[in-house]
Amino acid sequence: MHSLMQTSSRAPASRAAFTRSVVAPRIAPQVRIQTRARCVLPIRASATKLKDAYTQPIMDKGELQLDKFPAAPGIYAVYDKSNTLQYIGLSRKVDASVANHLQEVPDLTHEVKFATVLDASRESLTAAWKAWVEEAVESTGTVPPGNMPGETKWQSRAARPLKKEIRLTAGKGITGITIEQLIDQVVKTNKVVAFVKGTRTQPLCGFSHKLMTLLNETKADYEVVNVLDEVHNPGLREAIKTYSQWPTIPQLYVEGEFVGGADIVEQMVAKGELQAMIKAK
């Protein structure tokens, strides 16, 4: 069971009175994300209570679980690492909204409850969202912090176009140049580059996800190269290890210099060293 929020010392007179000033978020913009095939059974959200909704962790055994969320209209509730409810939202594509929150507020996006809405009209989505907010208020005595009037970091906004991953080749093999030379060009012509397993929106290992989460938290402007893309980056997975003389992936480079993997970057971020390095460069 989730410990939604600590109950206030004075419960509201009624759910309606307490939630009257809470405005439903705008329907979240659609963001294209890469996912594997999935099958999510539709749930009539109006009949699904928040406490009974399915809970999906963002990470499971080091693997990102964005493919478990439906690419369909619905409502969702986001919880942090302490199982505290942070935000209740509605969206035309639940998976896209969760991916957006994971980029914008990764420290508060740990697991998500969700329910799809069969009738995807704005009225139906808003009614289902309101029912969940009122249920949360009745249980906790307060509105989730992300839904409080004036709060902006959770609210839907114009979707920022995501940078595409850098491709070392056009997919027709490597001719006239070596893979090491291609790596060198990318590292030396881009300020911040992360070589990871997977893509910006679908990392395929926990350490790659961790590295990009750290970069997102520092608001760094960075490029991504997928070492598993054998069509456009043939041989990169092993070549990058030789290039850096570092045995693991992911790897981060700043201004042509190898910085380290996820654990080293985490230590540097905690000390403010990476932020200073990026700013200084």
Side-chain angles (χ1 to χ4, degrees):
M1 289 293 292
H2 291 280
S3 56
L4 300 176
M5 289 287 295
Q6 291 184 355
T7 304
S8 63
S9 59
R10 186 175 180 180
S14 69
R15 291 179 298 173
F18 203 78
T19 60
R20 190 174 295 119
S21 62
V22 181
V23 180
R26 291 178 295 151
I27 304 294
Q30 294 186 9
V31 179
R32 187 184 298 272
I33 66 173
Q34 176 184 342
T35 58
R36 297 186 290 273
R38 62 201 164 190
C39 178
V40 179
L41 297 177
I43 305 169
R44 189 174 298 279
S46 59
T48 305
K49 290 185 176 297
L50 174 60
K51 67 181 181 65
D52 298 327
Y54 178 72
T55 302
Q56 175 61 55
I58 293 294
M59 296 287 294
D60 184 27
K61 298 178 180 178
E63 296 292 331
L64 196 63
Q65 302 296 304
L66 287 179
D67 61 304
K68 298 296 195 301
F69 296 97
I75 54 176
Y76 60 93
V78 184
Y79 295 81
D80 64 16
K81 291 181 180 179
S82 63
N83 291 334
T84 298
L85 177 62
Q86 291 293 327
Y87 179 70
I88 298 176
L90 67 160
S91 176
R92 292 291 183 193
K93 291 184 68 176
V94 172
D95 61 347
S97 293
V98 172
N100 186 55
H101 294 321
L102 188 58
Q103 288 191 346
E104 297 292 339
V105 280
D107 55 324
L108 298 178
T109 307
H110 183 66
E111 59 185 24
V112 180
K113 287 189 171 189
F114 64 88
T116 54
V117 177
L118 294 177
D119 176 6
S121 67
R122 177 179 291 274
E123 292 74 17
S124 295
L125 284 169
T126 302
W129 169 86
K130 183 178 179 181
W132 273 22
V133 172
E134 291 184 346
E135 182 183 344
V137 170
E138 184 174 305
S139 298
T140 67
T142 188
V143 173
N147 296 106
M148 294 293 285
E151 175 57 58
T152 60
K153 64 176 174 286
W154 291 93
Q155 303 304 316
S156 61
R157 66 200 72 182
R160 294 182 306 171
L162 295 177
K163 287 186 176 182
K164 293 183 178 180
E165 287 69 37
I166 290 179
R167 294 174 173 179
L168 302 186
T169 76
K172 299 180 181 179
I174 299 176
T175 57
I177 193 171
T178 67
I179 183 69
E180 290 78 13
Q181 289 173 317
L182 289 173
I183 293 172
D184 199 54
Q185 287 181 4
V186 170
V187 166
K188 291 181 178 178
T189 57
N190 294 278
K191 183 173 182 177
V192 183
V193 187
F195 289 82
V196 303
K197 294 179 181 178
T199 67
R200 191 182 294 268
T201 56
Q202 190 66 44
L204 296 179
C205 83
F207 289 109
S208 293
H209 170 254
K210 181 179 181 179
L211 174 62
M212 289 189 285
T213 295
L214 290 165
L215 291 172
N216 290 336
E217 289 177 346
T218 60
K219 305 299 181 183
D221 182 15
Y222 65 98
E223 306 295 336
V224 170
V225 186
N226 180 7
V227 303
L228 301 183
D229 183 355
E230 282 297 320
V231 174
H232 299 97
N233 307 323
L236 178 58
R237 183 173 184 174
E238 295 305 317
I240 191 64
K241 298 176 185 178
T242 301
Y243 179 84
S244 63
Q245 295 298 299
W246 189 261
T248 59
I249 297 167
Q251 297 184 11
L252 180 68
Y253 294 77
V254 177
E255 290 285 6
E257 298 179 7
F258 174 59
V259 175
D263 290 340
I264 291 176
V265 170
E266 182 177 36
Q267 294 172 11
M268 293 179 68
V269 168
K271 297 176 181 178
E273 295 174 349
L274 183 67
Q275 299 90 315
M277 175 185 291
I278 294 175
K279 185 176 181 180
K281 298 290 186 179

